[in-house]
């Protein structure tokens, strides 16, 4: 489904994230693990085509993301990727239904109100279709954000820290919702989280390395590759995959 | 979910700022448009009233005064000229037509003009009711006079002395209305027309007691003469000849009107400059509103990009929002200006032709629309550019 190879990208002022190799198959559900600030969001954004990494290849759903022009990448993202950002970011000026319509129209998908109605019912917020985001509780808003992410039946569903600020019961519900909707949409799921409670709920895990010091060398484009590789080897990410 | 719908949703989200921008722009556009309508109507009216009148001849006085009194009927004439002068003018081969005017009295603020039926023909007026005057003390009233005073065919009234309301009445010499003119959109609408004889009769009757019955017929006088040239050549020689050879003054309505328009024009230009300032100010308001909205919407813009909108699409939302507000303000402003012109025309009888002008679309109004939309685009350029540059990943990761 997607494959990251030798991906390396600087973020923030002094940090860099590296992914030597990560392959995921269609329909799989992954935890992208690692402590706060280790670059999980950056990896999610690389998978979403929002960031083009400084190095490495990114192939998602058969598309070499780096080869796309910016405009093509925007359209591709709208059709292929479903993103649930940590702060949800529903558009406040639009009601719930229009938020979903917006997600359909931006990448140029045909408007399908029946799909929206069915989806809102599936995530349990059918009665909130005409509410505005400020009138929703955190949990309701998250359901809407998930619905918005899967409305175009993306191949890859990405969620950034979906359990932050949720109690145990709601955290489990949020994960369940993401898994169900990913299966329903036929999407591969990647949940970026540092939350220990998430770990047992997802079968596969890709752990980003903990950075013990800022990687100035990796941020420098002039740095020879061999040195980067040396560092990569020293803190290679671990991959936990059941049954492999 | 079009960009327009999204833009309107955002505009609805901050009603006060939206309303302020639209209202300010509407007022600016309305003022510009109203000055355009007014100056056009003014110029049209000055031209309409003076059409076909090449020269106004009167007693010694200012040429502007003679034109104002003789063509537009707003100033007092400088004095009278002997009736013989009319005959002399008519005898001149350079002159095609002479229409004498005898002024001095009014009826409820409307001037009574002693003249010949040629004046009615000159303005192409037709009778709505009744017939033209045939005998002394018969009068034909213009449409605005009829509307304002309610007099119709068969009514009788006394003229008052002087050109303004409130002069002493000539109570013993009453005019009888024989006809009402159809509206012409010219000064004729606001005049009471009668025979030259009537004016003489009223004034002789008035002063008759003091005259010896045996005295020779008093010397007839008129006030002004409207002259039409027989050929364009006359313009070069006739006015100079009149000024040089007679005790009369020849004034050219075209020349005096042009002078008048430069005076009015300066005032209208000033109002228009002020109104343009309002349009520019509303452009700035729009800019501030959009720049503010941009800050409020950084997350929204980022999520739009994350949902598959291109940079251009995101910029177009701001641009469309700006254009939509500008368009609403402009349309409201132009409608307001036309409604105001219509209202002024209905309320002020003297400005009645303005109501007709209000129903017209001036080519200059396209320029106003273009100007306002240009301001709208200009105001949105920088915010739109900033929207295009939003770093989506950084904004989404900013927790």
């Amino acid at each position: 489904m997607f494959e990251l190879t030798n991906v390396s990208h600087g973020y923030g002022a002094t940090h860099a994230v590296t992914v030597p190799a990560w392959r995921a198959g269609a329909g799989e559900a992954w935890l992208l693990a690692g402590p706060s600030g280790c670059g999980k969001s950056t990896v999610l954004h690389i998978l979403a085509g929002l960031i083009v990494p400084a190095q490495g290849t990114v192939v998602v759903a058969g598309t070499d993301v780096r080869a796309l022009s910016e405009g093509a990448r925007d359209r591709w993202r709208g059709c292929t990727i479903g993103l649930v950002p940590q702060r949800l970011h529903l558009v406040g000026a639009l009601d719930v239904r229009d938020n979903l319509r917006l997600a359909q129209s931006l990448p140029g998908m045909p408007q399908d109100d029946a799909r929206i109605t069915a989806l809102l019912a599936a995530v349990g917020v059918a009665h909130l279709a005409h509410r505005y985001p400020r009138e929703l509780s955190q949990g309701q808003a998250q359901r809407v954000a998930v619905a918005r992410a899967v409305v175009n039946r993306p191949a890859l569903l990405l969620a950034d820290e979906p359990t932050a600020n949720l109690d145990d019961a709601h955290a489990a519900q949020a994960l369940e919702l993401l898994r169900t909707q990913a299966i329903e949409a036929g999407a591969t799921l990647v949940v970026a989280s540092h939350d220990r409670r998430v770990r047992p709920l997802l079968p596969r895990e890709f752990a980003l390395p903990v950075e013990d010091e800022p990687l100035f060398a990796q941020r420098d484009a002039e740095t020879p590759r061999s040195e980067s590789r040396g560092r990569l080897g020293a803190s290679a990410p671990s991959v936990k995959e059941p049954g492999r | 979910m079009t960009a327009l719908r999204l833009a309107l949703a955002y505009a609805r989200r901050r009603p006060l700022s939206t309303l302020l921008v639209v209202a300010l722009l509407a007022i600016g556009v309305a003022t510009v448009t109203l000055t355009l309508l007014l100056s056009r109507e003014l110029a049209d009216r000055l031209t309409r009233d003076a059409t076909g009148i090449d020269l106004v001849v009167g007693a010694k006085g200012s040429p502007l005064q003679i034109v104002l009194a003789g063509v537009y009927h707003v100033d007092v004439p400088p004095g009278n000229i002997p009736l013989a002068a009319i005959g002399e003018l008519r005898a001149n081969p350079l002159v095609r037509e002479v229409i004498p005017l005898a002024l001095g009295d009014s009826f409820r603020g409307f001037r009574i003009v002693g003249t010949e039926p040629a004046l009615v023909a000159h303005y192409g007026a037709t009778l709505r009711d009744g017939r033209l005057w045939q005998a002394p003390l018969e009068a034909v009233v213009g449409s605005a006079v009829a509307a304002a005073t309610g007099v119709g065919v068969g009514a009788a009234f006394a003229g008052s002395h002087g050109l303004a309301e409130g002069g002493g009445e000539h109570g013993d010499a009453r005019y009888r209305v024989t006809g009402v003119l159809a509206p012409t959109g010219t000064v004729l609408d606001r005049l009471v027309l009668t025979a030259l004889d009537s004016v003489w009769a009223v004034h002789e009757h008035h002063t008759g007691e003091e005259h010896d019955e045996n005295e020779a017929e008093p010397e007839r006088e008129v006030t002004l003469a409207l002259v039409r040239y027989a050929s364009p050549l006359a313009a070069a020689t006739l006015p100079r000849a009149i000024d040089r050879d007679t005790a009369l003054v020849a004034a050219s309505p075209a020349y005096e009107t042009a002078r008048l328009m430069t005076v009015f024009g300066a005032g209208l230009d000033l109002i228009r400059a002020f109104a343009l300032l309002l349009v520019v100010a509303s452009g700035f308001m729009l800019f501030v509103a959009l720049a503010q909205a941009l800050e409020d919407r950084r997350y929204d813009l980022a999520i739009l990009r994350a949902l598959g909108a291109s940079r251009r699409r995101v910029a177009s939302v701001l641009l469309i929002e700006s254009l939509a507000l500008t368009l609403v303000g402009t349309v409201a402003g132009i409608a307001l200006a036309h409604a105001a012109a219509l209202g002024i025309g209905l309320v002020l009888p003297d400005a009645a032709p303005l109501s007709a002008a209000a129903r017209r679309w001036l080519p200059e109004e396209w320029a106003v629309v273009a100007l306002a939309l240009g301001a709208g685009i200009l105001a949105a350029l920088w915010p739109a550019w900033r929207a295009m540059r939003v770093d989506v990943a950084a904004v989404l990761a900013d927790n």
Side-chain angles (χ1 to χ4, degrees):
Chain A
M1 208 327 272
F2 69 78
E3 182 166 8
L4 302 184
T5 316
N6 290 329
V7 166
S8 166
H9 190 75
Y11 68 94
T14 56
H15 295 72
V17 63
T18 55
V19 180
W22 181 15
R23 288 184 63 161
E28 293 177 354
W30 283 80
L31 168 64
L32 174 58
S36 296
C38 74
K40 295 189 298 295
S41 293
T42 303
V43 173
L44 278 192
H45 291 157
I46 287 171
L47 282 170
L50 286 168
I51 292 174
V52 178
Q55 289 174 26
T57 54
V58 181
V59 177
V60 179
T63 303
D64 180 356
V65 179
R66 297 190 68 160
L68 295 174
S69 71
E70 190 178 45
R73 203 163 58 237
D74 288 327
R75 264 194 313 281
W76 169 86
R77 173 170 54 249
C79 304
T80 316
I81 307 293
L83 179 66
V84 184
Q86 180 173 352
R87 298 223 308 208
L88 305 177
H89 297 315
L90 298 174
V91 174
L94 301 176
D95 68 15
V96 166
R97 177 175 286 275
D98 278 346
N99 262 280
L100 267 64
R101 281 183 180 145
L102 183 68
Q104 279 181 338
S105 77
L106 285 178
M109 307 284 276
Q111 185 168 317
D112 183 352
D113 275 342
R115 161 85 178 143
I116 291 173
T117 306
L119 198 52
L120 289 178
V123 301
V125 291
H127 59 296
L128 303 174
H130 296 293
R131 294 277 183 86
Y132 283 83
R134 62 176 177 279
E135 302 164 338
L136 303 178
S137 72
Q138 172 73 14
Q140 290 167 337
Q142 190 171 48
R143 285 166 182 277
V144 174
V146 170
R148 182 180 66 180
V150 298
V151 69
N152 293 333
R153 300 185 200 277
L156 178 58
L157 177 59
L158 307 170
D160 199 356
E161 301 284 0
T163 57
N165 310 321
L166 295 182
D167 61 32
D168 289 354
H170 284 99
Q173 271 179 20
L175 254 293
E176 182 57 29
L177 178 70
L178 282 166
R179 291 207 64 180
T180 320
Q181 287 307 316
I183 291 164
E184 156 68 22
T188 301
L189 174 66
V190 175
V191 175
S193 180
H194 68 279
D195 190 343
R196 260 187 238 106
R197 298 172 300 180
V198 175
R199 206 166 179 184
L201 301 172
L202 290 166
R204 297 162 207 275
E205 178 178 339
F206 181 87
L208 281 176
V210 183
E211 309 239 350
D212 45 9
E213 60 177 295
L215 298 181
F216 287 108
Q218 288 197 349
R219 285 189 59 247
D220 190 347
E222 301 300 315
T223 309
R225 228 164 233 224
S226 55
E227 194 186 322
S228 302
R229 283 192 188 278
R231 290 203 62 93
L232 283 178
S235 57
S238 63
V239 177
K240 166 198 96 173
E241 283 198 60
R244 273 197 195 172
Chain B
M1 180 55 52
T2 58
L4 179 63
R5 207 159 148 222
L6 185 60
L8 291 180
Y10 277 127
R12 264 203 314 274
R13 191 75 194 287
R14 43 189 176 82
L16 215 61
S17 136
T18 300
L19 198 71
L20 194 63
V21 168
V22 169
L24 200 60
L25 185 66
I27 292 169
V29 166
T31 314
V32 175
T33 310
L34 193 58
T35 61
L36 285 176
L37 286 172
L38 285 175
S39 63
R40 169 57 77 92
E41 171 55 24
L42 191 64
D44 276 6
R45 203 150 130 191
L46 289 180
T47 316
R48 222 163 31 226
D49 288 351
T51 301
I53 301 173
D54 294 316
L55 214 55
V56 185
V57 178
K60 282 284 180 222
S62 115
L64 181 59
Q65 184 188 4
I66 288 173
V67 169
L68 288 178
V71 179
Y72 303 114
H73 297 273
V74 286
D75 204 353
V76 292
N80 286 344
I81 60 176
L83 185 62
I86 302 292
E88 282 164 29
L89 277 171
R90 280 186 170 140
N92 194 317
L94 292 171
V95 172
R96 179 194 292 176
E97 187 181 24
V98 178
I99 305 173
L101 304 177
L103 309 174
D105 289 350
S106 62
F107 166 53
R108 293 203 212 158
F110 295 102
R111 293 184 172 204
I112 299 173
V113 180
T115 185
E116 294 170 356
L119 187 69
V120 179
H122 173 83
Y123 284 111
T126 52
L127 282 159
R128 193 178 68 197
D129 222 359
R131 57 169 176 81
L132 283 182
W133 65 92
Q134 282 163 359
L137 292 178
E138 287 188 346
V140 167
V141 298
S143 58
V145 180
T149 62
V151 300
V153 173
F157 64 87
S160 32
H161 197 67
L163 296 174
E165 244 173 316
E169 284 209 348
H170 297 290
D172 39 359
R174 293 177 69 81
Y175 288 94
R176 203 167 52 78
V177 177
T178 60
V180 177
L181 295 176
T184 59
T186 67
V187 68
L188 216 54
D189 295 347
R190 285 172 286 125
L191 297 180
V192 176
L193 304 177
T194 182
L196 284 169
D197 293 337
S198 310
V199 178
W200 293 329
V202 168
H203 289 92
E204 272 156 27
H205 188 79
H206 210 56
T207 52
E209 321 274 321
E210 297 155 27
H211 285 274
D212 190 331
E213 289 295 322
N214 297 329
E215 206 179 334
E217 198 167 291
E219 198 196 348
R220 301 291 199 195
E221 283 184 327
V222 296
T223 314
L224 296 159
L226 308 180
V227 175
R228 196 164 177 190
Y229 295 148
S231 86
L233 235 64
T237 54
L238 189 60
R240 231 179 310 159
I242 292 173
D243 288 345
R244 190 186 55 223
D245 302 337
T246 67
L248 308 177
V249 170
S252 153
Y255 177 74
E256 300 303 329
T257 305
R259 264 181 48 187
L260 209 57
M261 275 311 284
T262 58
V263 179
F264 285 140
L268 285 170
D269 283 349
L270 194 72
I271 298 172
R272 204 168 304 152
F274 180 71
L276 285 178
L277 210 64
L278 278 179
V279 173
V280 170
S282 58
F284 271 112
M285 279 282 309
L286 195 57
F287 168 76
V288 170
L290 289 173
Q292 181 64 47
L294 185 76
E295 288 310 308
D296 299 343
R297 276 187 231 158
R298 271 159 45 85
Y299 291 111
D300 279 13
L301 294 172
I303 203 69
L304 291 186
R305 293 290 311 284
L307 289 174
S310 62
R311 287 185 192 277
R312 251 186 296 168
R313 185 83 184 258
V314 168
S316 76
V317 173
L318 281 168
L319 211 58
I320 286 172
E321 185 172 348
S322 177
L323 277 177
L325 295 191
T326 317
L327 201 64
V328 172
T330 307
V331 169
I334 286 179
L336 199 66
H338 282 262
L342 197 68
I344 294 172
L346 289 178
V347 172
L348 299 176
D350 276 357
L354 200 54
S355 322
R359 295 196 179 89
R360 227 167 21 167
W361 177 267
L362 301 181
E364 292 93 323
E365 290 178 59
W366 287 120
V368 176
V369 173
L371 178 86
L373 293 186
I377 291 173
L378 216 60
L381 275 187
W382 188 76
W385 188 79
R386 285 287 307 266
M388 282 177 74
R389 318 270 2 135
V390 164
D391 182 345
V392 184
V395 173
L396 290 182
D398 172 22
N399 295 320

